[in-house]
Amino acid sequence: MLEVRSLSVYFGDFAAVKKVSFKVSKGEIFGLLGANGAGKTTTIRVMCGLLIPTEGEVQIGDTIFGKNNNGNNNNSAELIKSRIGYMSQKFTLYDDLTVEENWKFAASLRNMNNGIYKKRCDYLNQWLSLGDRTKQLVGKLPSGLKQQVALAAALFHNPDIIFLDEPTAGVSPYARMQFWNLIKILASEGKTIIVTTHYMDEAENCERLSLMRAGEIIALDSPEKLKHSTFPHGIWGLAEEKIPPCLREEKTLSMWPCGLNYHMVTHNLAHWEDLKKQHPILANATLVAPTLEDVFLELVEGRSR
Amino acid sequence: MKTHTNVSLTLQNLEKNFSKVQALALSGVSLHFEVGMLHGIIGPEAAGKTTLMRLLAGLLAPSKGTISYSIDGVVASEFETVRPLIAYMPERQSLYADLSIKEHLDFFSKLYELTPSEYKEKQERLLSITRLGGFLERPAGKLSGGMYKKLGLICALLRSPKVLLLDEPTNGVDPISRREFWELLYSLRQENILMLVSTAYMDEAERCSRAHLFQEGKLLFSGIPSELLVKHRAKDFNELFIKQAEQRVC
């Protein structure tokens, strides 16, 4: 459905994206994670046809755009814009317009004729069970419903691929759960979903995740496989106050706070047993299930601590 | 300022409405905040977190109820007595994009009338714990989200506050910067500061010594995070909020 091949983007001498390649299947929910400045937004801008890469290309269906093998621009990006929907947490709706007015505006940007607009309006209204709430000002809606209305605006032209940029930041856990149920329905209907987020619990909804650092992909797999491959021996948790101060200087042990505990990881079980002999308090440490945040911290920040 | 000053805070039936037609931004909030603990004000958008922070910082007046600060066990009769002890960091902090980290610290040290020796000592300590020392000449407008938040925090800490009000300090920053920010807050726990941190990240509730959970202007629960989870049979705070919402729907 979507393939990124050997994509590089330079701003002057600075490489924002370096030789990035991945494929996303039709109906897949795919996440792009990384620290600020990792290259996620640049990659998305290229995939949306908003930025011409320095090298590499993107294929969406049969349409290829980017740089071709001769280094020339392939400007087919315009062709895919009708197939793409984009929703951001920050700015997608006008608070002083009603739901219907916002949708009408979104449809007019796509030059949609009145007949199709009405059909889509009815369909999305029914899908979200909004009823008369389409007449309400968006600014008066609860944040969870606002997110659903924004999603509908991104879906108005019935795109194949939907980009979600931190779609549920700040929204209540219940509204977030409802939002992700809608996204899963869309994926089951064949829509391809690409998500970028700093919320690790949001990333848990993705079927596969690509983790970027300094413009490169450093890991790509399902959340469960990433947890297992990053921490094959699991993670040890111990209350912060029980950690011997000298252990914090231990170079062979990764350690970070998580809740009121510290999470500790060693990649050498024999060494862990040695440490337990030196520090008997470590016998109180319990094996805990790794979270995606643990994976992120370990892979993106490295094992130098 | 005495260095041993302890400030605690009690809210009684606190209420705030911004207009007669809208729902209350905060209603019936009664809480006690003890010094030396990291208090989390946890809730999604429109929970009333920012309104509460602004009330506590003296930027808004309550519609009903009381806010009582106690200094060394004595209730302060005037908010003006407490004001110099409070540092408030809003979610969108207005730092000067063209000024460097060093210029910000110089500016705020003059604003807080620090002596050169006080300033030198504080600057060294704060730059060391925030690891911003290597970026002194970088303008605020060119800092990453996490570094910008840290700069905001050290500007607030220059005045040696006894009450630190941080409104969503980790919003929008990546998990690494979030973790660094929380480590920074942990390191401040020893300094006898009453710290209130608001956040919409549910997982951050577990990083606080006390979690105060808000929804739609009301206090849902308050207590030690691990005890709250056991009591409400939830594996995490996401689940706890979802259970609450489902009960209301039913």
Side-chain angles (χ1 to χ4, degrees), chain B:
Chain B
M1 191 188 303
K2 289 191 296 176
T3 52
H4 61 271
T5 309
N6 275 333
V7 180
S8 61
L9 169 63
T10 304
L11 313 178
Q12 283 287 346
N13 255 326
L14 192 63
E15 189 173 302
K16 181 68 190 172
N17 63 338
F18 290 101
S19 97
K20 285 178 182 165
V21 288
Q22 282 184 353
L24 290 168
L26 272 183
S27 99
V29 177
S30 295
L31 268 175
H32 180 69
F33 299 97
E34 218 28 83
V35 71
M37 287 183 189
L38 219 165
H39 294 272
I41 308 294
I42 319 290
E45 239 177 47
K49 305 185 296 293
T50 298
T51 302
L52 177 62
M53 287 292 184
R54 289 171 63 82
L55 284 162
L56 300 184
L59 299 172
L60 290 173
S63 306
K64 277 186 193 164
T66 56
I67 300 170
S68 314
Y69 281 100
S70 296
I71 304 172
D72 294 332
V74 179
V75 175
S77 53
E78 297 277 332
F79 181 73
E80 290 311 312
T81 326
V82 191
R83 192 189 293 276
L85 306 176
I86 298 177
Y88 167 57
M89 186 173 135
E91 186 192 348
R92 288 184 194 149
Q93 187 150 25
S94 307
L95 297 175
Y96 299 94
D98 296 334
L99 294 189
S100 67
I101 290 180
K102 174 79 171 59
E103 287 165 333
H104 271 94
L105 295 180
D106 289 346
F107 172 74
F108 280 97
S109 73
K110 284 179 186 151
L111 203 64
Y112 301 144
E113 298 174 337
L114 301 184
T115 64
S117 62
E118 272 179 326
Y119 175 41
K120 188 170 180 291
E121 182 269 316
K122 282 183 184 170
Q123 187 192 41
E124 279 171 10
R125 191 172 56 84
L126 292 170
L127 288 174
S128 153
I129 58 173
T130 51
R131 290 185 269 174
L132 286 179
F135 307 94
L136 275 181
E137 302 306 324
R138 190 176 290 187
K142 296 206 167 158
L143 296 175
S144 70
M147 288 164 87
Y148 189 90
K149 299 274 186 184
K150 281 186 195 171
L151 174 59
L153 180 62
I154 60 174
C155 289
L157 289 172
L158 268 182
R159 78 187 309 189
S160 299
K162 289 294 161 191
V163 182
L164 188 56
L165 306 172
L166 306 173
D167 193 8
E168 302 209 35
T170 56
N171 188 18
V173 303
D174 65 59
I176 292 173
S177 305
R178 270 212 296 155
R179 190 197 67 175
E180 285 183 355
F181 202 90
W182 276 94
E183 283 183 336
L184 188 56
L185 296 183
Y186 290 146
S187 69
L188 293 172
R189 277 184 305 186
Q190 332 299 334
E191 304 198 10
N192 247 14
I193 301 176
L194 176 63
M195 273 192 284
L196 272 72
V197 185
S198 76
T199 180
Y201 288 96
M202 296 301 145
D203 60 325
E204 291 188 345
E206 292 175 51
R207 302 182 189 197
C208 304
S209 353
R210 294 287 182 278
H212 313 285
L213 274 60
F214 284 78
Q215 179 131 337
E216 294 171 3
K218 293 190 180 75
L219 178 68
L220 293 180
F221 304 113
S222 176
I224 297 169
S226 54
E227 291 180 2
L228 282 176
L229 292 178
V230 170
K231 185 177 170 191
H232 297 281
R233 294 179 189 170
K235 72 174 190 321
D236 56 31
F237 282 89
N238 264 314
E239 194 179 291
L240 204 160
F241 264 93
I242 289 171
K243 277 186 171 181
Q244 272 299 304
E246 283 172 344
Q247 279 174 14
R248 278 187 299 155
V249 170
C250 293

Side-chain angles (χ1 to χ4, degrees), chain A residues 64-299:
Chain A
I64 299 174
F65 55 98
K67 291 276 185 193
N68 62 25
N69 290 337
N70 303 323
N72 297 321
N73 292 346
N74 180 341
N75 289 329
S76 311
E78 282 303 315
L79 299 174
I80 54 98
K81 286 186 182 169
S82 62
R83 301 180 63 178
I84 285 177
Y86 177 81
M87 182 203 155
S88 151
Q89 157 69 12
K90 284 167 193 154
F91 180 75
T92 27
L93 300 170
Y94 293 93
D95 278 354
D96 296 333
L97 297 183
T98 64
V99 170
E100 221 168 65
E101 286 164 342
N102 267 289
W103 284 356
K104 205 161 200 167
F105 178 69
S108 70
L109 291 176
R110 302 279 179 178
N111 295 322
M112 200 174 280
N113 75 42
N114 212 27
I116 298 176
Y117 165 74
K118 281 194 170 144
K119 271 188 193 164
R120 289 297 290 165
C121 206
D122 288 344
Y123 173 77
L124 291 166
N125 191 353
Q126 204 173 356
W127 188 54
L128 298 176
S129 311
L130 287 176
D132 283 345
R133 299 192 94 167
T134 55
K135 312 276 183 216
Q136 280 187 19
L137 290 180
V138 160
K140 304 275 184 198
L141 296 177
S143 58
L145 200 53
K146 214 188 266 189
Q147 294 310 101
Q148 296 185 10
V149 170
L151 175 65
L155 292 173
F156 237 93
H157 56 296
N158 204 10
D160 304 319
I161 302 173
I162 303 148
F163 288 91
L164 304 174
D165 183 5
E166 299 220 352
T168 60
V171 172
S172 77
Y174 185 68
R176 185 185 295 171
M177 184 184 75
Q178 288 181 315
F179 182 90
W180 275 100
N181 286 341
L182 292 176
I183 294 295
K184 285 169 187 167
I185 291 170
L186 288 173
S188 71
E189 290 170 350
K191 305 282 185 202
T192 303
I193 316 285
I194 298 178
V195 188
T196 172
T197 183
H198 286 325
Y199 275 87
M200 292 299 116
D201 53 353
E202 193 161 71
E204 290 276 5
N205 291 293
C206 297
E207 287 160 68
R208 284 189 309 147
L209 293 168
S210 139
L211 222 66
M212 291 185 78
R213 182 179 62 193
E216 293 176 295
I217 290 183
I218 54 170
L220 199 166
D221 219 323
S222 68
E224 285 316 305
K225 284 184 180 166
L226 279 176
K227 288 174 195 170
H228 188 258
S229 61
T230 311
F231 303 107
H233 306 304
I235 288 182
W236 297 94
L238 190 63
E240 184 194 1
E241 64 274 11
K242 292 185 179 166
I243 307 266
C246 56
L247 204 62
R248 290 168 198 252
E249 307 304 320
E250 180 59 58
K251 299 285 182 210
T252 57
L253 197 65
S254 291
M255 192 187 293
W256 56 84
C258 187
L260 292 176
N261 285 334
Y262 258 70
H263 279 184
M264 296 173 287
V265 170
T266 177
H267 294 276
N268 180 339
L269 278 183
H271 180 67
W272 175 248
E273 293 304 321
D274 286 344
L275 282 174
K276 281 208 299 199
K277 282 177 197 155
Q278 288 170 43
H279 307 285
I281 190 81
L282 288 181
N284 295 332
T286 50
L287 261 179
V288 293
T291 63
L292 272 181
E293 182 163 325
D294 291 324
V295 171
F296 188 100
L297 294 172
E298 180 75 349
L299 294 181

